[in-house]
């Protein structure tokens, strides 16, 4: 296993994180998995044996059941793992049982600690933005949780660029704890994060954790152009994340993943995961699994080294068109682009005939 520094913190995390959203199967999360306790514990043990040291969950997953199962699965192994969980979404029917208010965050943290059966959370993440709560209140609440010892580090998830920078600025003004990471959706097919979120991570020292790195299974190689997908796949289950806006492009990417996989004698899924591990600022890729076989296949991705040619071929079928003002900067300001700018723009510069 490879270990990477998480943002500007001193924390080292495994390049692959075990995502646990498939544990529990309660409510809408039955669409993505329903591992029982025995299977969940087995998956956790396999991941730990492979060197995975970060487990990711959320109070929302199966309405708390997932956290309970994670807590049970790590009994006797707490010293071997870092625990990441999240808060923001409803955990009750009351008007204050949701959001990023001080009231809800403190209650949510206490609830997660109890369900996990631990005295602290290693990485506490804001699961989504809350446009009602002043960001200063949210960051102050997180600082209080860190100061109390209940939380070691904090992160964000699913924020826009301006929302992320606003939260970081609030923390900096107050001299309080700031995010060390952001957990985002990012795949070789869904590259929107490269416009703002990846450059912000580089500039602000945030480690990227990637959720749904196979696009809900779409990039696993099981879905092929003109063929029916697996009967237990996302379309049959009713899970519609992430949205697909260009089906032809999707299948072009899948075919390239399969092609490169065959050249390396690995699966398309391993290539898709390895592509992410080659991208700037990515600290860890969150992999989930419904079966032991899926997990063992995904774990092998950390050993796959893609060549420059592999990356260029994947880029050729997947890079997005430049939005304004990026295309204007690439055309007119490329004499003074810094390393952060080039994280996005280098592949589009005029010398590459990208336009």
């Amino acid at each position: 296993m490879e270990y990477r520094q998480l943002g500007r913190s001193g924390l080292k995390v495994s390049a692959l994180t075990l995502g646990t959203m498939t544990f529990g199967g309660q409510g809408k999360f039955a669409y993505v998995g329903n591992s029982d306790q025995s299977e969940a514990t087995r998956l956790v043990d396999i991941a730990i044996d492979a060197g995975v040291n970060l487990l990711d969950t959320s109070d929302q997953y199966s309405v708390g059941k997932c956290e309970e199962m994670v807590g049970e699965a790590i009994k006797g192994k707490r010293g071997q793992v870092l625990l990441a969980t999240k808060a923001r979404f409803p955990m009750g029917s009351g008007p204050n049982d949701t959001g990023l208010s001080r009231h809800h965050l403190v209650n949510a943290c206490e609830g997660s600690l109890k369900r996990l059966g631990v005295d602290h959370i290693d990485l506490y993440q804001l699961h989504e933005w809350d446009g009602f709560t002043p960001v200063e209140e949210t960051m102050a609440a997180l600082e209080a949780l860190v100061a109390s010892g209940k939380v070691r580090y904090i992160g964000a998830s699913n924020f826009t660029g301006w929302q992320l920078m606003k939260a970081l600025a609030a923390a900096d003004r107050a001299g309080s704890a700031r995010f060390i990471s952001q957990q985002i959706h990012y795949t070789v097919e869904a590259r929107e994060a490269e416009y703002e979120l990846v450059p912000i991570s580089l500039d602000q020292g945030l480690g990227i954790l990637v959720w749904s790195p196979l696009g809900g299974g779409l990039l696993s190689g099981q879905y092929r152009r003109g063929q029916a997908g697996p009967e237990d796949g996302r379309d049959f289950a009713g899970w519609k994340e992430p949205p697909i806006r260009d089906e032809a492009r999707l299948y072009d990417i899948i075919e390239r993943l399969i092609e490169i996989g065959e050249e390396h004698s690995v699966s398309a899924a391993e290539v898709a995961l390895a592509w992410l591990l080659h991208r700037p600022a990515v600290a860890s890729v969150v992999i989930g699994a419904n079966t032991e076989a899926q997990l063992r296949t995904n774990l092998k991705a950390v050993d796959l080294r893609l060549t420059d040619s592999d990356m260029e071929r994947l880029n050729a079928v997947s890079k997005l068109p430049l939005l304004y003002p990026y295309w204007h900067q690439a055309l007119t300001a490329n004499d003074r682009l810094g390393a952060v700018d080039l994280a996005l723009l280098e592949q589009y510069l005029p010398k590459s005939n990208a336009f």
Side-chain angles (χ1 to χ4, degrees), residues 64-122:
K65 180 66 175 176
C66 181
E67 286 185 323
E68 292 176 0
M69 293 175 69
V70 169
E72 182 66 26
I74 64 167
K75 282 185 176 178
K77 310 161 209 168
R78 177 65 175 106
Q80 298 174 258
V81 295
L82 300 166
L83 287 177
T85 192
K86 315 178 196 73
R88 191 290 193 188
F89 291 110
M91 289 300 289
S93 58
N96 293 309
D97 292 334
T98 187
L100 299 180
S101 68
R102 184 191 306 271
H103 175 91
H104 181 63
L105 279 179
V106 171
N107 285 345
C109 183
E110 296 286 358
S112 289
L113 289 169
K114 182 177 181 180
R115 287 186 292 272
L116 290 164
V118 298
D119 62 3
H120 73 274
I121 294 163
D122 297 292

Side-chain angles (χ1 to χ4, degrees), residues 293-312:
Q294 286 178 345
L295 178 58
R296 291 192 183 279
T297 294
N298 292 344
L299 285 168
K300 292 190 293 184
V302 76
D303 298 319
L304 178 58
R305 297 291 179 265
L306 298 177
T307 67
D308 290 343
S309 174
D310 294 333
M311 296 296 285
E312 289 169 4

